[in-house]
């Protein structure tokens, strides 16, 4: 427990929180159970009183709902004009936040805190407007009904069968400096409703039949009273921490039951529950984990776990705190939580145990000033005598005892040498050293063994008569007794220090493990990797087999396990399914299906359960201890957050892919609908003219119409072919059929095929004769080069020059297509090969789907080549380079 100086020192956290509040405007909420109780009226009345005190008060927004008495209270108060918002053809009036900030009053009235602002406002919710006002140092009065509190929204919906959509987070209510309950009995509110003071009479009659029934109003009133009481309790605790008041202040009852591994722990929990229920008080089950926790037997650990489970089932908050003294930690916790009553089980320990460890009940009664101490009856059956507790940690091997004998012998030899030279009178102090060493290294029992050996050695080698276990001088008897007492006390102190050091090391190891675990999972984005880290880490920490099950396709499937070959039988899977459906621990060590081998714990996030972790502790029938359960809970919470993060990342990726798919779909529809309709329109126009007016046209006109239809049909064929090629590329079904290809043949064949496209251009090809052959799919390579020539023809001017050059570059063959068009804009260079992307060329729209270059890139890469684009360095124009390796 903290010292006296700590008890009289204000809480730093509470002082920091108070200092932060001083820099902000204060919020007062007028809180009510239902509409019509008079919240707005009371707010306006309070504002008028503040105005009378000289405070600058303005009205930001107040909804009078046509109530005459409320409108009368507005007289004399400055009202900031509202802001007009147009939304879907309707005019809405909203609070003008900027006007209020510019006006900077001392106090502003903002009615209906849960209001949703019109779309386009700076904040979606009115309570966010209030936060901005408070950040600017302006005090705010506001109103709120209990059904608008987020945590109570579903409770109110079950009571009234009406769900309110506008809510505020509980943190808004908790951050308020004052909450004033505006209360009205159900009878008075119904009377006001009948008089038309809440709604018009038609609406009032409907409200009386549904929302405003006496039962509903009574339940809502109780909710409002309880929520206000919770807020007042938080304010009282904050005040006590800020002013270093140890308490307790019995403004409200709070009961703490002390848990221990005795057989009467369950009785104490039940007695505490009866007490808490009778006082309508909060119940907290507290266990203080001292150095003795590591020495608990399996039976004691089982009793402690059973008491914790019982407390949880009875609705208690279970808390475990480490400490040196049970009484000090219980009292410190009770004062920190402002508890009024402590329930503790009656001790059945021996007098010897209480002399060594203290009587908890007696010390609580002696030290618990201001606290009511209730002693619960013990178990009916007497507690079986167990092994002596200080023998539980004794080493079971001979090594520590042999080591103690050797250290004692060494101390004796050193003492003999020193005594021979200097004749020291206090040579007995030398024997304290091996006692301390034994206690520090091996605990109490080996140190007592060394104490006995040291006393015998001192008597035998240094007390007259020498080399006999006898004492001639009575003064030496006193010296020997003092040596034994000093050795035993030093042994006990060193043993306690060793136990505390070991406990600190365990806590440090646990903290380090949790830190390492959090670092491991921090950057993991793959679900399988994350689950593997979780199961391996838990398996090492708990010395158990671990399995994680998660829902998939409506079933609970095993997603990860350590060891990997671990398996769950049908009974285990049924227990896991029950734990998932009920969201409760199931299996070994619980009250549900305790015969199952595994313990199944749900993994929960703030939203819901996302999986089940199964633990099979090593050892026949072993259950997890309280410390192991806390460790499991800590790791499970971190794992749940990481799993939620991975799921959110997957959702974001899916949303991004969906947006990209939608963008591509829109681009494809836009491009295809235009570029397919254009040639179709030309074909239909030419053929319909030919059919209708064939006799009126001469041969030249007929040939021109047929030629137009044919060229547009070929153009349409290219569009459809590009779409099909892109579909094949996306599906990954294109497998190159390689053959020996001469570069000259490839270029000449492609130029002949593209001749109709290039008829108005000057085409020049430069193909060296000594180029080596390539291993390519001729069809894919020809289509690639054709698409490049098609692109060049679109962007080249009439009579422009298009060049096709092949060259040997190291171990590769490059085919270059150049045009004399406007070139490529800098911003477009990185996107030229994207699907459906077409570079801008001023205001002119080039024909095409934007797939030609994307298909060319896909065909080149599937054959092991590469393609790039750049602007020409010698003049205006673009240059595309296709590169294939020489094989």
């Amino acid at each position: 427990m903290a010292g006296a100086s700590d008890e009289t020192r204000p809480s730093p956290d509470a002082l920091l929180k108070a200092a932060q509040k001083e820099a902000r405007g204060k919020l007062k909420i007028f809180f009510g159970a239902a509409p019509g109780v008079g919240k707005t009226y009371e707010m306006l009345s309070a504002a008028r009183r503040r105005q009378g005190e000289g405070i600058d008060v303005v009205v930001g927004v107040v909804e009078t709902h046509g109530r005459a008495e409320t409108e009368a209270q507005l007289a004399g108060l400055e009202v900031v004009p509202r802001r007009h918002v147009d939304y879907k053809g309707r005019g809405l009036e909203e609070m003008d936040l900027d006007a209020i900030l510019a006006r900077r009053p001392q106090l502003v009235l903002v009615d209906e805190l849960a209001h949703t602002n019109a779309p386009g406002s700076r904040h979606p919710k009115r309570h966010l407007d209030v936060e901005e006002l408070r950040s600017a140092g302006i005090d705010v009065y506001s109103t709120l009904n209990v059904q608008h509190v987020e945590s109570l929204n579903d409770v109110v919906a079950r009571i009234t069968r009406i769900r309110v959509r506008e809510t505020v987070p509980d943190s808004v209510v908790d951050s308020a400096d004052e909450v004033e309950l505006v209360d009205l009995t159900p009878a008075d509110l119904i009377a006001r409703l009948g008089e038309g003071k809440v709604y018009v009479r038609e609406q009032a009659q409907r409200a009386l039949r549904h929302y405003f029934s006496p039962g509903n109003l009574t339940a809502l009133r109780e909710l409002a009273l309880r929520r206000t009481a919770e807020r007042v309790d938080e304010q009282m605790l904050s005040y006590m921490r800020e002013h270093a008041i140890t308490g307790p202040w019995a403004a409200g009852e709070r009961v703490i039951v002390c848990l221990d591994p005795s057989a009467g722990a369950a009785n104490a929990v039940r007695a505490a529950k009866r007490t808490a229920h009778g006082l309508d008080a909060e119940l907290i089950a507290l266990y203080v984990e001292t150095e003795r926790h590591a020495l608990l037997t399996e039976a004691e650990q089982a009793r402690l776990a059973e008491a914790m489970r019982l407390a949880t089932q009875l609705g208690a908050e279970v808390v475990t705190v480490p400490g040196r003294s049970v009484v000090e930690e219980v009292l410190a916790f009770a004062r920190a939580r402002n508890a009024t009553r402590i329930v503790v089980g009656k001790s059945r320990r021996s007098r010897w145990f209480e002399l060594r460890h203290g009587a908890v009940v007696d010390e609580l009664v002696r030290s618990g000033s201001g606290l009511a101490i209730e002693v619960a009856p013990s178990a009916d059956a007497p507690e079986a005598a167990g092994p002596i507790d200080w023998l539980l940690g004794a080493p079971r091997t001979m090594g520590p005892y042999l080591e103690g004998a050797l250290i004692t012998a060494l101390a004796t030899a050193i003492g003999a040498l020193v005594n021979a030279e200097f004749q020291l009178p206090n040579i007995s102090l030398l024997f304290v050293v091996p006692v301390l060493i034994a206690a520090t290294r091996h605990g109490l029992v080996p140190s007592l063994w060394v104490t006995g050996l040291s006393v015998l050695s001192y008597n035998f080698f240094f007390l007259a008569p020498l080399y006999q276990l006898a004492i001639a001088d009575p003064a030496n008897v006193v010296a020997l007794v003092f040596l034994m007492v000093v050795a035993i006390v030093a042994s006990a102190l060193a043993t306690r220090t060793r136990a505390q050091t070991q406990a600190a090391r365990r806590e440090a190891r646990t903290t380090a493990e949790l830190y390492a675990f959090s670092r491991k999972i921090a950057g993991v984005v793959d679900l399988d990797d994350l689950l593997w880290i979780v199961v391996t880490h838990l398996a090492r920490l708990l010395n158990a087999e671990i399995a994680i099950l998660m829902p998939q396709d409506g079933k609970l499937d095993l997603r990860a396990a350590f060891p990997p070959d671990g398996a769950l039988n049908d009974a285990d899977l049924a227990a896991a399914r029950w734990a998932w459906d009920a969201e409760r621990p199931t299996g070994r060590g619980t009250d549900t299906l305790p015969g199952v081998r595994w313990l199944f714990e749900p993994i929960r996030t703030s939203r819901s359960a996302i999986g089940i972790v199964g633990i099979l502790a090593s050892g026949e029938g072993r259950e997890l201890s309280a410390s192991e359960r806390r460790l499991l809970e800590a790791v499970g919470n971190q794992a749940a957050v990481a799993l939620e993060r991975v799921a959110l990342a997957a959702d974001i990726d899916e949303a991004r892919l969906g947006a990209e798919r939608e963008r591509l779909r829109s681009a494809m529809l836009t491009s295809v609908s235009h570029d397919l309709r254009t040639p179709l329109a030309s074909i239909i126009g030419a053929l319909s003219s030919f059919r209708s007016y064939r006799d009126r046209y001469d041969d030249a006109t007929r040939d021109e119409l047929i030629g137009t239809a044919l060229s547009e049909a070929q153009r349409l064929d290219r569009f459809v072919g590009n779409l099909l090629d892109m579909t094949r590329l996306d599906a990954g079904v294109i497998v190159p059929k390689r053959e020996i290809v001469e570069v000259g043949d490839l270029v000449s064949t492609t130029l002949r095929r593209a001749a109709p496209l290039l008829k108005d251009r000057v085409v020049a090809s430069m193909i060296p004769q000594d180029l080596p052959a390539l291993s390519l799919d001729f069809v894919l390579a020809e289509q690639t080069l054709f698409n490049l020539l098609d692109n060049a023809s679109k962007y080249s001017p009439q009579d422009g020059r298009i060049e096709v050059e092949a060259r040997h570059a190291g171990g590769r063959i490059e085919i270059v297509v150049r045009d004399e068009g406007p070139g490529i804009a800098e911003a477009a260079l990185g996107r030229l090969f994207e699907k459906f992307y077409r570079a801008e060329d001023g205001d002119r729209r080039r024909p095409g789907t934007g797939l030609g270059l994307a298909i060319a890139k896909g065909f080149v890469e599937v054959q092991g080549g590469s393609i790039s684009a750049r602007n020409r360095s010698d003049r205006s124009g673009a240059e595309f380079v296709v590169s294939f390796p020489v094989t």
Side-chain angles (χ1 to χ4, degrees):
M1 186 176 70
S5 60
D6 291 334
E7 291 182 1
T8 57
R9 184 185 306 146
S11 167
D13 293 335
L15 290 178
L16 179 60
K17 187 175 180 182
Q20 291 172 343
K21 281 189 173 183
E22 287 299 322
R24 290 165 50 84
K26 292 181 170 51
L27 171 63
K28 180 174 182 178
I29 297 177
F30 293 85
F31 194 57
V37 296
K39 301 181 301 300
T40 304
Y41 183 91
E42 184 61 32
M43 178 181 70
L44 290 169
S45 300
R48 291 172 65 88
R49 290 193 295 272
R50 295 297 303 277
Q51 188 183 48
E53 297 168 2
I55 301 298
D56 183 16
V57 182
V58 301
V59 175
V61 58
V62 165
E63 304 291 350
T64 63
H65 298 289
R67 299 163 189 163
E69 63 271 23
T70 305
E71 291 177 352
Q73 289 292 321
L74 276 171
L77 293 175
E78 178 186 346
V79 179
V80 177
R82 301 193 193 185
R83 179 173 55 91
H84 183 79
V85 179
D86 289 323
Y87 177 64
K88 293 184 177 180
R90 291 190 301 153
L92 303 177
E93 300 289 337
E94 292 290 354
M95 182 179 72
D96 195 337
L97 179 61
D98 291 324
I100 297 173
L101 291 172
R103 170 70 172 73
R104 291 197 65 81
Q106 291 176 278
L107 173 64
V108 60
L109 308 186
V110 181
D111 205 4
E112 297 184 356
L113 187 61
H115 173 75
T116 301
N117 292 331
S121 302
R122 180 151 77 240
H123 300 300
K125 291 283 190 177
R126 185 169 288 172
H127 70 81
L128 298 174
D129 295 338
V130 169
E131 282 299 306
E132 186 169 347
L133 290 171
R134 295 181 67 193
S135 298
I138 301 173
D139 294 344
V140 179
Y141 280 1
S142 191
T143 61
L144 185 70
N145 282 329
V146 68
Q147 67 263 32
H148 296 295
V149 179
E150 179 64 45
S151 65
L152 301 176
N153 184 254
D154 57 338
V155 179
V156 174
R158 285 196 296 269
I159 294 171
T160 64
R161 302 177 187 270
I162 298 173
R163 181 172 292 277
V164 177
R165 299 300 177 187
E166 292 183 325
T167 60
V168 298
D170 287 59
S171 58
V172 174
V173 182
D174 295 335
S175 67
D177 298 273
E178 293 183 64
V179 177
E180 179 177 327
L181 179 65
V182 182
D183 191 28
L184 199 63
T185 65
D188 290 341
L189 180 55
I190 290 173
R192 282 175 51 84
L193 196 68
E195 295 168 2
K197 294 182 178 181
V198 180
Y199 300 124
V200 296
R201 294 192 179 275
E202 292 77 9
Q203 291 179 327
Q205 292 303 318
R206 288 197 301 270
L208 283 171
R209 289 194 299 270
H210 299 93
Y211 192 90
F212 284 83
S213 67
N216 288 356
L217 293 177
T218 302
L220 293 176
R221 189 184 184 206
E222 182 178 358
L223 279 177
L225 289 168
R226 287 182 178 275
R227 188 63 180 85
T228 308
E230 290 175 7
R231 179 66 189 124
V232 172
D233 187 60
E234 291 173 4
Q235 289 177 322
M236 182 182 66
L237 289 175
S238 299
Y239 180 84
M240 293 172 67
R241 296 187 185 110
E242 290 171 18
H243 294 81
I245 300 172
T246 57
W249 281 0
E253 296 287 348
R254 188 172 283 112
V255 179
I256 292 178
V257 56
C258 298
L259 301 180
D260 60 64
S262 68
N267 283 353
V269 172
R270 296 186 185 98
K273 175 61 179 177
R274 292 192 295 271
T275 300
H277 181 73
L279 298 173
D280 195 18
E282 179 186 357
L283 178 60
I284 304 172
L286 176 66
Y287 174 65
V288 180
E289 187 176 293
T290 63
E291 58 193 38
R292 287 196 68 254
H293 179 78
L295 304 178
L296 295 181
T297 64
E298 290 187 4
E300 289 175 323
Q301 290 181 355
R303 287 198 295 265
L304 177 61
E306 177 61 29
M308 288 183 171
R309 284 196 297 272
L310 178 61
T312 302
Q313 290 171 0
L314 295 179
E317 176 190 355
V318 179
V319 179
T320 300
V321 295
R324 184 181 64 84
S325 168
V326 173
V327 175
E328 291 177 356
E329 295 299 335
V330 168
L331 293 177
F333 183 83
R335 285 168 179 148
R337 297 292 290 267
N338 197 35
T340 57
R341 188 177 299 263
I342 296 176
V343 178
V344 61
K346 183 178 180 181
S347 174
R348 298 182 63 86
R349 300 287 190 180
S350 64
R351 290 292 182 186
W352 169 243
F353 182 92
E354 292 183 351
L355 285 174
R356 289 186 296 114
H357 297 286
V360 173
V361 175
D362 294 342
E363 292 185 28
L364 281 175
V365 173
R366 189 181 305 113
S367 305
S369 175
L371 291 165
I373 310 299
E374 178 181 324
V375 181
S378 59
D380 295 334
E383 191 170 332
I388 302 175
D389 60 343
W390 56 271
L391 290 177
L392 293 176
R396 305 291 180 174
T397 60
M398 293 301 296
Y401 304 101
L402 292 176
E403 179 184 314
L406 290 175
I407 296 175
T408 305
L410 180 61
T412 302
I414 294 174
L417 292 174
V418 172
N419 195 49
E421 293 291 333
F422 303 105
Q423 292 292 321
L424 294 178
N426 54 353
I427 194 69
S428 60
L429 294 179
L430 183 65
F431 288 97
V432 177
V433 175
V435 173
L436 293 175
I437 293 175
T440 303
R441 285 177 54 81
H442 304 294
L444 181 60
V445 175
S447 69
L448 293 178
W449 159 255
V450 174
T451 298
L453 292 180
S454 298
V455 169
L456 293 176
S457 297
Y458 180 64
N459 182 12
F460 191 80
F461 291 102
F462 298 99
L463 295 181
L466 297 178
Y467 312 119
Q468 296 181 29
L469 292 177
I471 303 175
D473 188 351
N476 290 336
V477 175
V478 177
L480 191 65
V481 170
F482 271 106
L483 171 61
M484 182 178 298
V485 171
V486 168
I488 291 175
V489 171
S491 171
L493 292 176
T495 301
R496 171 170 289 185
T497 303
R498 174 176 179 267
Q500 293 174 346
T501 302
Q502 288 178 337
R505 285 176 179 172
R506 285 195 301 270
E507 293 294 331
R509 189 182 306 115
T510 301
T511 303
E513 290 282 358
L514 292 175
Y515 176 69
F517 177 69
S518 63
R519 290 192 60 184
K520 279 184 180 180
I521 65 177
V524 179
V525 296
D526 183 76
L527 179 60
D528 292 333
D529 292 342
L530 175 61
L531 294 177
W532 177 250
I533 292 173
V534 173
V535 295
T536 54
H537 201 82
L538 276 177
R540 185 175 69 254
L541 286 180
L542 303 179
N543 188 25
E545 295 184 28
I546 304 295
I548 291 183
L549 301 94
M550 297 183 69
Q552 191 170 11
D553 299 330
K555 295 172 54 182
L556 200 62
D557 291 339
L558 181 64
R559 296 296 302 273
F562 189 89
D565 55 353
L568 302 176
N569 58 34
D570 293 340
D572 299 332
L573 290 174
R577 166 56 68 179
W578 198 96
W580 171 257
D581 293 337
E583 292 192 14
R584 287 177 50 191
T586 306
R588 181 170 296 279
T590 69
D591 292 334
T592 305
L593 304 176
V596 177
R597 300 179 304 153
W598 291 70
L599 166 65
F600 294 101
E601 288 271 0
I603 304 176
R604 296 185 181 89
T605 65
S606 57
R607 296 184 294 180
S608 62
I610 59 175
I612 297 292
V613 58
I615 305 98
L616 179 60
S618 60
E620 185 65 29
R622 186 175 79 88
E623 297 181 9
L624 296 184
S625 64
S627 59
E628 287 176 328
R629 281 184 174 273
R630 291 200 311 275
L631 192 60
L632 172 63
E633 181 180 0
V635 173
N637 289 337
Q638 292 190 30
V641 172
L643 287 170
E644 190 172 35
R645 173 176 54 80
V646 170
L648 289 175
D651 291 344
I652 292 172
D653 290 341
E654 182 64 27
R656 187 183 297 116
L657 288 174
E660 181 65 18
R661 284 194 297 267
E662 183 63 24
R663 186 187 67 81
L664 290 176
R665 187 182 70 84
S666 299
M668 183 189 72
L669 289 176
T670 302
S671 177
V672 169
S673 62
H674 177 272
D675 292 316
L676 292 184
R677 289 174 65 89
T678 300
L680 280 174
S682 299
I683 293 170
I684 293 171
L687 293 179
S688 61
S689 297
F690 183 81
R691 178 179 181 182
S692 300
Y693 307 104
R694 175 171 44 187
D695 296 337
R696 300 182 186 181
Y697 294 149
D698 56 21
D699 291 341
T701 304
R702 292 192 196 106
D703 291 341
E704 183 181 355
L705 288 175
I706 293 175
T708 299
L710 179 60
S711 64
E712 292 300 321
Q714 290 172 342
R715 178 182 168 190
L716 181 61
D717 180 64
R718 290 195 300 273
F719 289 160
V720 175
N722 282 341
L723 290 173
L724 293 176
D725 288 339
M726 183 52 63
T727 303
R728 293 167 61 207
L729 280 172
D730 288 341
V733 297
I734 295 180
V735 179
K737 299 178 181 178
R738 296 184 180 273
E739 57 181 310
I740 301 300
V741 175
E742 295 289 343
V743 178
D745 293 342
L746 175 64
V747 173
S748 61
T749 302
T750 308
L751 289 175
R752 286 195 299 272
R753 178 185 169 193
L757 302 176
L758 308 174
K759 59 183 177 180
D760 296 327
R761 305 327 189 255
V762 178
V763 180
S765 61
M766 294 160 282
I767 313 298
Q769 297 295 324
D770 59 346
L771 286 179
L774 298 174
S775 176
L776 299 175
D777 185 314
F778 190 92
V779 175
L780 298 183
E782 181 195 9
Q783 186 63 44
T784 299
L785 191 54
F786 180 86
N787 286 0
L788 295 179
L789 291 171
D790 184 18
N791 182 78
S793 70
K794 292 175 185 175
Y795 289 91
S796 290
Q798 292 288 338
D799 300 327
R801 180 182 173 88
I802 296 175
E803 298 177 357
V804 181
E805 178 188 1
R807 61 195 181 198
H808 198 219
R812 305 180 73 86
I813 297 296
E814 293 181 347
I815 303 175
V816 185
V817 178
R818 302 185 186 94
D819 61 52
E820 295 180 347
I824 308 169
E826 194 69 29
L829 278 172
R831 301 189 59 193
L832 275 182
F833 297 101
E834 293 182 10
K835 290 183 288 188
F836 304 110
Y837 179 78
R838 285 184 285 181
E840 297 292 335
D841 182 14
D843 296 331
R844 183 181 176 188
R845 180 179 176 86
R846 303 288 182 176
T849 59
L851 291 175
L853 294 181
I855 292 170
K857 183 175 185 293
F859 283 175
V860 169
E861 291 179 349
V862 82
Q863 299 180 89
S866 62
I867 186 171
S868 61
R870 56 177 177 261
N871 287 313
R872 295 180 65 169
S873 58
D874 56 339
R875 55 158 299 146
S876 172
E879 183 176 271
F880 291 84
V881 181
V882 179
S883 175
F884 291 109
V886 177
T887 56

